[in-house]
């Protein structure tokens, strides 16, 4: 009995009354102000049945109104409505609303793509005090949860496991992590067979938002633009191709992908069949990154420079966090001598405004990550990265952002042009446990903001990308509407 009383009192520390979410609800008076009010977003499709089981447990322990199924309610609509109501209540002198606004923490349960979706929405809201986010590992890779100490194995869904997780959320510290903006612009002749990717096939935080004809009537080119953001990594090449095959198979046969261990075995089998282990037998040199695109980077100097990519590199990763492919660290820990030799400015930090760029030759090369000091081919650290695809090299490229892959069509005509640019776009707050492996300039933000050089202010900046850099495109107003001819 005493144990139940303790648990019930403890759960009040996380409880948010219904009227905070529903404007027309009567104001409720609570016996205590919650120490750690939380809003929970769960992707019930993630983790086989785990997502569905998890939402049942959370709704039993907390107010049903503060636990959301992402299949039913998008986080942008939920948070827009919540913050509008909080501002109204605060204006009317509601003390509880003010305290919830100040102390609010978010929990998101799903894969890295689901977590990225929520982080994109928070970025688009441009809040003065954005809520920090804890991640429940329900995906296959779970790089975000692992980086911040939440583990990489699927969690328990019973009452005791959820209460233990809530206690960790209450005790967790806040950390800043860099947000990275990605803009992809495709130009092709009118009538070109290269069409934009359908919205359901794009990552949550990437959106096609317009197709614009040039102002000159004689100019028959069209511009397709995609905009989005990531927090862990952007990759291109063979690793993204294997991931795309895995996601395509899972979409066709979801009943076969309910166990995390068997999912990882399936992933390994696909890596073999796609040629990731047997490149010379199945895939031509045109699949190598150097044959697909010219890569440019911008360092502290604020000037674009060409990054030399070895011809053997078949996959390239732009990494923000120290976890890739389920907890491996492609960058490793270079010695001070190697840092000086490669012009590397510092160890990888999650809030330094820099991406670590790593290359892989094949899956055998990737397996060196399993050794204590294993790492990929360290190519550079950069504030901005630009991929300029070579004309006619291929009709598509495989790309992946934070665990979500897609097959990107490329113009095959000589007049086509495709440019992908990645740039720093501020920061978001994550919650970290004592087991956190991510390192920051400041171990806890607690009101401290890290200052980064704004490379976009350089005179060498391409102004054509300025409009697209303003938002991640995760908010509802920037979603692809289906009619690409309308702006």
């Amino acid at each position: 009995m005493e144990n139940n009383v303790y648990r019930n009192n403890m759960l009040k520390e996380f409880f948010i009354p219904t009227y905070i979410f529903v404007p027309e609800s009567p104001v409720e008076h609570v016996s205590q102000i919650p120490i750690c009010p939380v809003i929970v977003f769960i992707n019930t499709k993630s983790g086989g049945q785990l997502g569905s089981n998890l939402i049942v447990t959370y709704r039993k322990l907390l107010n049903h109104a503060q636990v959301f199924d992402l299949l039913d309610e998008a986080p942008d609509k939920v948070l827009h409505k919540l913050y509008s109501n909080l501002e109204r209540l605060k204006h009317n002198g509601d003390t509880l609303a003010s305290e919830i606004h100040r102390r609010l923490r978010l929990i998101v349960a799903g894969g890295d793509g689901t977590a990225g979706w929520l982080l994109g929405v928070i970025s688009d809201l441009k809040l003065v005090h954005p809520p920090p986010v804890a991640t429940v590992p329900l995906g296959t890779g779970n790089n975000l949860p692992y980086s911040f100490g939440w583990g990489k194995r699927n969690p328990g869904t019973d009452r005791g496991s959820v209460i233990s997780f809530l206690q960790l959320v209450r005790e967790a510290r806040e950390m800043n992590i860099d947000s990275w903006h990605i803009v992809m612009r495709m130009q092709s002749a009118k009538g070109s067979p290269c069409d934009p990717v359908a919205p359901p096939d794009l990552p949550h935080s990437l959106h096609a938002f317009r197709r614009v004809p040039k102002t000159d009537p004689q100019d028959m080119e069209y511009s397709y633009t995609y905009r989005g953001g990531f927090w862990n990594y952007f990759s291109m090449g063979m690793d993204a191709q294997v991931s795309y095959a895995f996601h395509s198979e899972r979409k066709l046969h979801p009943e076969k992908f309910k166990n995390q261990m068997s999912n990882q075995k399936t992933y390994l089998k696909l890596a073999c069949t796609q040629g990731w282990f047997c490149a010379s037998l199945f895939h031509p040199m045109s699949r190598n990154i150097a044959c697909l695109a010219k890569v440019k980077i911008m360092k502290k100097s604020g000037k674009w420079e060409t990054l030399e990519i070895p011809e053997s590199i078949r996959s390239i990763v732009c990494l923000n966090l120290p976890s890739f492919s389920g907890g491996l660290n492609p960058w490793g820990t270079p010695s001070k001598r190697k840092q000086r030799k490669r012009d590397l400015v510092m160890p990888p930090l999650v809030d330094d405004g820099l991406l670590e760029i790593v290359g892989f030759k094949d899956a055998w090369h990737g397996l060196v990550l399993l050794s204590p000091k294993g790492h990929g081919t360290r190519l550079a650290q950069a504030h901005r990265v630009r991929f300029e695809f070579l004309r006619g090299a291929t009709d598509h490229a495989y790309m992946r952002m934070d665990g979500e892959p897609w097959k990107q069509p490329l113009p095959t005509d000589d007049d086509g042009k495709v440019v992908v640019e990645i740039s720093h776009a501020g920061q978001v707050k994550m919650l970290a446990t004592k087991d956190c492996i991510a390192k920051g300039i400041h171990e806890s933000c607690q009101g401290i903001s890290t200052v980064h050089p704004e490379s976009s202010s350089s005179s060498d900046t391409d102004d054509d990308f300025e409009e697209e850099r303003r938002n991640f495109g995760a908010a509802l107003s920037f979603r692809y509407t289906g009619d690409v001819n309308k702006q």
Side-chain angles (χ1 to χ4, degrees), residues 176-206:
N176 279 343
I177 70 165
D178 291 322
S179 299
W180 294 94
H181 192 279
I182 183 168
V183 176
M184 177 165 58
R185 176 169 291 167
M186 302 169 55
Q187 291 181 343
S188 59
K190 185 177 181 181
S192 169
C194 181
D195 292 322
V197 179
D201 297 326
L202 287 171
H204 278 112
S205 58
L206 184 68

Side-chain angles (χ1 to χ4, degrees), residues 186-196 211 220-224 395 409-418:
M186 302 169 55
Q187 291 181 343
S188 59
K190 185 177 181 181
S192 169
C194 181
D195 292 322
R211 177 185 177 188
M220 303 306 288
E221 284 188 348
Y222 277 67
S223 174
Y224 300 75
D395 58 358
L410 302 176
T412 54
D413 54 87
D414 291 338
D415 295 327
K417 179 181 178 183
V418 179

Side-chain angles (χ1 to χ4, degrees), residues 13 15-17 19-20 30 32-38 82-83 86-87 89-91 93-105 129 131-132:
E13 297 176 359
F15 187 86
I16 301 177
Y19 84 94
I20 295 294
V30 296
Q32 67 182 63
I33 293 177
I35 296 172
C36 181
V38 295
L82 170 68
Y83 277 97
L86 282 174
E87 289 300 325
L89 292 169
K90 285 167 58 181
H91 181 74
D94 191 312
T95 304
L96 178 61
S98 296
E99 288 300 316
I100 288 174
H101 184 275
R102 184 173 69 87
R103 304 180 187 190
L104 185 65
R105 295 187 164 194
H129 301 292

Side-chain angles (χ1 to χ4, degrees), residues 103-363:
R103 304 180 187 190
L104 185 65
R105 295 187 164 194
L106 305 185
I107 297 172
V108 57
D112 287 330
T114 302
W117 183 16
L118 180 61
L119 292 174
V121 169
I122 295 170
S123 297
D124 279 355
L125 287 174
K126 293 181 170 59
L127 301 168
V128 177
H129 301 292
V133 178
T135 51
V136 181
L138 284 187
T140 303
N142 298 319
N143 295 293
L144 269 164
Y146 179 66
S147 296
F148 294 96
W150 302 104
K152 56 184 176 181
R153 296 296 180 193
N154 293 158
T157 61
D158 59 284
R159 180 184 176 93
S161 297
V162 170
I163 289 176
S164 296
F165 189 89
L166 287 171
Q167 289 174 322
L168 287 176
V169 171
R170 181 184 58 193
E171 298 162 3
R173 58 189 171 91
E174 295 182 15
M175 285 185 69
N176 279 343
I177 70 165
D178 291 322
S179 299
W180 294 94
H181 192 279
I182 183 168
V183 176
M184 177 165 58
R185 176 169 291 167
M186 302 169 55
Q187 291 181 343
S188 59
K190 185 177 181 181
S192 169
C194 181
D195 292 322
V197 179
D201 297 326
L202 287 171
H204 278 112
S205 58
L206 184 68
H207 303 283
F209 75 105
R210 65 177 182 178
R211 177 185 177 188
V212 184
K214 300 292 186 179
T215 53
D216 186 349
Q218 302 303 315
D219 192 341
M220 303 306 288
E221 284 188 348
Y222 277 67
S223 174
Y224 300 75
T225 305
Y226 296 76
R227 179 172 60 204
F230 67 93
W231 292 265
N232 190 351
Y233 65 87
F234 168 84
S235 70
M236 183 180 72
M238 182 54 72
D239 79 288
Q241 180 176 344
V242 174
S243 179
Y244 180 80
F246 174 83
H247 280 255
S248 299
E249 186 72 14
R250 183 167 60 179
K251 189 179 292 186
L252 288 174
H253 305 286
E255 70 282 356
K256 297 180 181 180
F257 293 82
K258 293 185 177 181
N259 180 274
Q260 188 180 37
M261 189 64 69
S262 63
N263 288 355
Q264 291 169 344
K265 289 180 180 178
T266 301
Y267 202 99
L268 185 61
K269 289 178 183 177
L270 287 170
C272 295
T273 60
Q274 292 290 322
W276 193 210
F277 282 97
C278 315
S280 60
L281 296 178
F282 295 104
H283 294 279
M285 285 295 289
S286 62
R287 295 294 178 92
N288 295 349
I289 299 301
C291 298
L292 288 177
K294 180 187 293 185
V295 184
K296 294 183 177 180
I297 61 172
M298 185 182 288
K299 297 183 180 180
K300 283 186 175 180
S301 62
K303 298 291 183 181
W304 287 107
E305 56 185 86
T306 299
L307 180 64
E308 297 298 329
I309 307 293
E311 290 187 357
S312 58
I313 297 298
R314 301 176 67 228
S315 183
I316 191 167
V317 183
C318 299
L319 193 68
N320 187 41
L321 302 182
S323 180
F324 178 73
S325 289
L328 304 177
N329 185 357
W331 187 256
T333 307
S335 65
K336 290 184 178 180
R337 181 183 63 83
K338 287 185 177 180
Q339 286 187 53
R340 288 193 298 269
K341 184 179 179 181
R342 293 288 186 91
D343 192 26
L344 307 176
V345 296
M346 62 177 68
L349 302 174
V350 298
D351 59 352
D352 60 357
L354 291 172
L355 285 169
E356 281 67 46
I357 306 174
V358 189
F360 289 98
K361 301 173 185 177
D362 50 33

Side-chain angles (χ1 to χ4, degrees), residues 414-436:
D414 291 338
D415 295 327
K417 179 181 178 183
V418 179
V419 177
V420 175
E421 186 175 313
I422 299 169
S423 57
H424 186 260
Q427 295 180 330
V428 293
K429 292 180 181 180
M430 299 296 294
L431 288 169
T433 75
K434 59 181 176 57
D435 297 321
C436 172

Side-chain angles (χ1 to χ4, degrees), residues 448-464:
I448 302 174
S449 177
T450 306
V451 178
H452 303 284
E454 287 297 331
S455 55
S456 60
S457 62
S458 164
S459 59
D460 210 16
T461 295
D462 182 355
D463 290 336
D464 287 346

